[in-house]
PDB file of all heavy atoms in Angstrom:
ATOM      1  N   ALA A 579      69.169 -32.317 -19.693  1.00  0.00           N
ATOM      2  CA  ALA A 579      69.178 -32.098 -18.138  1.00  0.00           C
ATOM      3  C   ALA A 579      70.621 -31.759 -17.722  1.00  0.00           C
ATOM      4  O   ALA A 579      70.768 -30.864 -16.912  1.00  0.00           O
ATOM      5  CB  ALA A 579      68.755 -33.338 -17.494  1.00  0.00           C
ATOM      6  N   PRO A 580      71.714 -32.327 -18.235  1.00  0.00           N
ATOM      7  CA  PRO A 580      73.047 -31.953 -17.682  1.00  0.00           C
ATOM      8  C   PRO A 580      73.426 -30.502 -17.954  1.00  0.00           C
ATOM      9  O   PRO A 580      74.290 -29.893 -17.340  1.00  0.00           O
ATOM     10  CB  PRO A 580      73.964 -32.922 -18.378  1.00  0.00           C
ATOM     11  CG  PRO A 580      73.094 -34.179 -18.724  1.00  0.00           C
ATOM     12  CD  PRO A 580      71.798 -33.584 -19.017  1.00  0.00           C
ATOM     13  N   LEU A 581      72.688 -29.931 -19.003  1.00  0.00           N
ATOM     14  CA  LEU A 581      73.045 -28.513 -19.341  1.00  0.00           C
ATOM     15  C   LEU A 581      72.801 -27.596 -18.138  1.00  0.00           C
ATOM     16  O   LEU A 581      73.505 -26.596 -17.995  1.00  0.00           O
ATOM     17  CB  LEU A 581      72.316 -28.109 -20.485  1.00  0.00           C
ATOM     18  CG  LEU A 581      72.871 -28.361 -21.874  1.00  0.00           C
ATOM     19  CD1 LEU A 581      71.990 -27.748 -22.958  1.00  0.00           C
ATOM     20  CD2 LEU A 581      74.349 -27.761 -22.013  1.00  0.00           C
ATOM     21  N   SER A 582      71.718 -27.980 -17.469  1.00  0.00           N
ATOM     22  CA  SER A 582      71.432 -27.173 -16.184  1.00  0.00           C
ATOM     23  C   SER A 582      72.488 -27.155 -15.204  1.00  0.00           C
ATOM     24  O   SER A 582      72.882 -26.057 -14.627  1.00  0.00           O
ATOM     25  CB  SER A 582      70.069 -27.692 -15.657  1.00  0.00           C
ATOM     26  OG  SER A 582      69.667 -26.918 -14.537  1.00  0.00           O
ATOM     27  N   MET A 583      73.080 -28.366 -14.965  1.00  0.00           N
ATOM     28  CA  MET A 583      74.243 -28.390 -14.052  1.00  0.00           C
ATOM     29  C   MET A 583      75.473 -27.590 -14.554  1.00  0.00           C
ATOM     30  O   MET A 583      76.189 -27.117 -13.793  1.00  0.00           O
ATOM     31  CB  MET A 583      74.568 -29.896 -13.804  1.00  0.00           C
ATOM     32  CG  MET A 583      73.342 -30.582 -13.234  1.00  0.00           C
ATOM     33  SD  MET A 583      72.917 -29.937 -11.676  1.00  0.00           S
ATOM     34  CE  MET A 583      74.337 -30.029 -10.569  1.00  0.00           C
ATOM     35  N   ALA A 584      75.609 -27.630 -15.929  1.00  0.00           N
ATOM     36  CA  ALA A 584      76.733 -26.793 -16.454  1.00  0.00           C
ATOM     37  C   ALA A 584      76.619 -25.361 -16.272  1.00  0.00           C
ATOM     38  O   ALA A 584      77.532 -24.642 -16.320  1.00  0.00           O
ATOM     39  CB  ALA A 584      76.710 -27.135 -17.996  1.00  0.00           C
ATOM     40  N   ILE A 585      75.334 -24.914 -15.910  1.00  0.00           N
ATOM     41  CA  ILE A 585      75.126 -23.535 -15.591  1.00  0.00           C
ATOM     42  C   ILE A 585      75.174 -23.310 -14.079  1.00  0.00           C
ATOM     43  O   ILE A 585      75.849 -22.489 -13.596  1.00  0.00           O
ATOM     44  CB  ILE A 585      73.785 -23.059 -16.146  1.00  0.00           C
ATOM     45  CG1 ILE A 585      73.864 -23.065 -17.616  1.00  0.00           C
ATOM     46  CG2 ILE A 585      73.425 -21.657 -15.627  1.00  0.00           C
ATOM     47  CD1 ILE A 585      72.440 -22.696 -18.338  1.00  0.00           C
ATOM     48  N   VAL A 586      74.572 -24.273 -13.377  1.00  0.00           N
ATOM     49  CA  VAL A 586      74.518 -24.062 -11.806  1.00  0.00           C
ATOM     50  C   VAL A 586      75.836 -24.131 -11.239  1.00  0.00           C
ATOM     51  O   VAL A 586      76.184 -23.234 -10.400  1.00  0.00           O
ATOM     52  CB  VAL A 586      73.566 -25.103 -11.241  1.00  0.00           C
ATOM     53  CG1 VAL A 586      73.534 -25.054  -9.748  1.00  0.00           C
ATOM     54  CG2 VAL A 586      72.097 -24.815 -11.751  1.00  0.00           C
ATOM     55  N   ILE A 587      76.642 -25.161 -11.493  1.00  0.00           N
ATOM     56  CA  ILE A 587      77.991 -25.363 -10.757  1.00  0.00           C
ATOM     57  C   ILE A 587      78.840 -24.128 -11.061  1.00  0.00           C
ATOM     58  O   ILE A 587      79.460 -23.626 -10.062  1.00  0.00           O
ATOM     59  CB  ILE A 587      78.530 -26.702 -11.298  1.00  0.00           C
ATOM     60  CG1 ILE A 587      77.644 -27.860 -10.822  1.00  0.00           C
ATOM     61  CG2 ILE A 587      79.935 -26.872 -10.699  1.00  0.00           C
ATOM     62  CD1 ILE A 587      78.217 -29.230 -11.188  1.00  0.00           C
ATOM     63  N   PRO A 588      79.090 -23.716 -12.338  1.00  0.00           N
ATOM     64  CA  PRO A 588      80.047 -22.543 -12.394  1.00  0.00           C
ATOM     65  C   PRO A 588      79.428 -21.321 -11.689  1.00  0.00           C
ATOM     66  O   PRO A 588      80.276 -20.486 -11.207  1.00  0.00           O
ATOM     67  CB  PRO A 588      80.198 -22.338 -13.916  1.00  0.00           C
ATOM     68  CG  PRO A 588      79.714 -23.627 -14.535  1.00  0.00           C
ATOM     69  CD  PRO A 588      78.747 -24.247 -13.615  1.00  0.00           C
ATOM     70  N   ALA A 589      78.066 -21.207 -11.792  1.00  0.00           N
ATOM     71  CA  ALA A 589      77.460 -20.011 -11.228  1.00  0.00           C
ATOM     72  C   ALA A 589      77.640 -19.996  -9.777  1.00  0.00           C
ATOM     73  O   ALA A 589      77.766 -18.932  -9.080  1.00  0.00           O
ATOM     74  CB  ALA A 589      75.942 -20.046 -11.614  1.00  0.00           C
ATOM     75  N   LEU A 609      80.371 -19.430 -22.060  1.00  0.00           N
ATOM     76  CA  LEU A 609      79.298 -19.472 -20.977  1.00  0.00           C
ATOM     77  C   LEU A 609      79.859 -18.886 -19.672  1.00  0.00           C
ATOM     78  O   LEU A 609      79.320 -17.957 -18.987  1.00  0.00           O
ATOM     79  CB  LEU A 609      78.613 -20.867 -20.791  1.00  0.00           C
ATOM     80  CG  LEU A 609      77.245 -20.846 -20.341  1.00  0.00           C
ATOM     81  CD1 LEU A 609      76.355 -20.146 -21.410  1.00  0.00           C
ATOM     82  CD2 LEU A 609      76.760 -22.355 -20.158  1.00  0.00           C
ATOM     83  N   MET A 613      79.107 -15.379 -17.570  1.00  0.00           N
ATOM     84  CA  MET A 613      78.707 -15.240 -16.335  1.00  0.00           C
ATOM     85  C   MET A 613      79.631 -14.264 -15.604  1.00  0.00           C
ATOM     86  O   MET A 613      79.005 -13.387 -14.799  1.00  0.00           O
ATOM     87  CB  MET A 613      78.784 -16.590 -15.656  1.00  0.00           C
ATOM     88  CG  MET A 613      77.865 -17.637 -16.033  1.00  0.00           C
ATOM     89  SD  MET A 613      78.002 -19.201 -15.092  1.00  0.00           S
ATOM     90  CE  MET A 613      76.943 -20.310 -15.989  1.00  0.00           C
TER      91      MET A 613
END
Side-chain angles (χ1 to χ4, degrees):
L581 272 183
S582 179
M583 298 304 298
I585 293 175
V586 171
I587 293 177
L609 211 61
M613 293 183 189

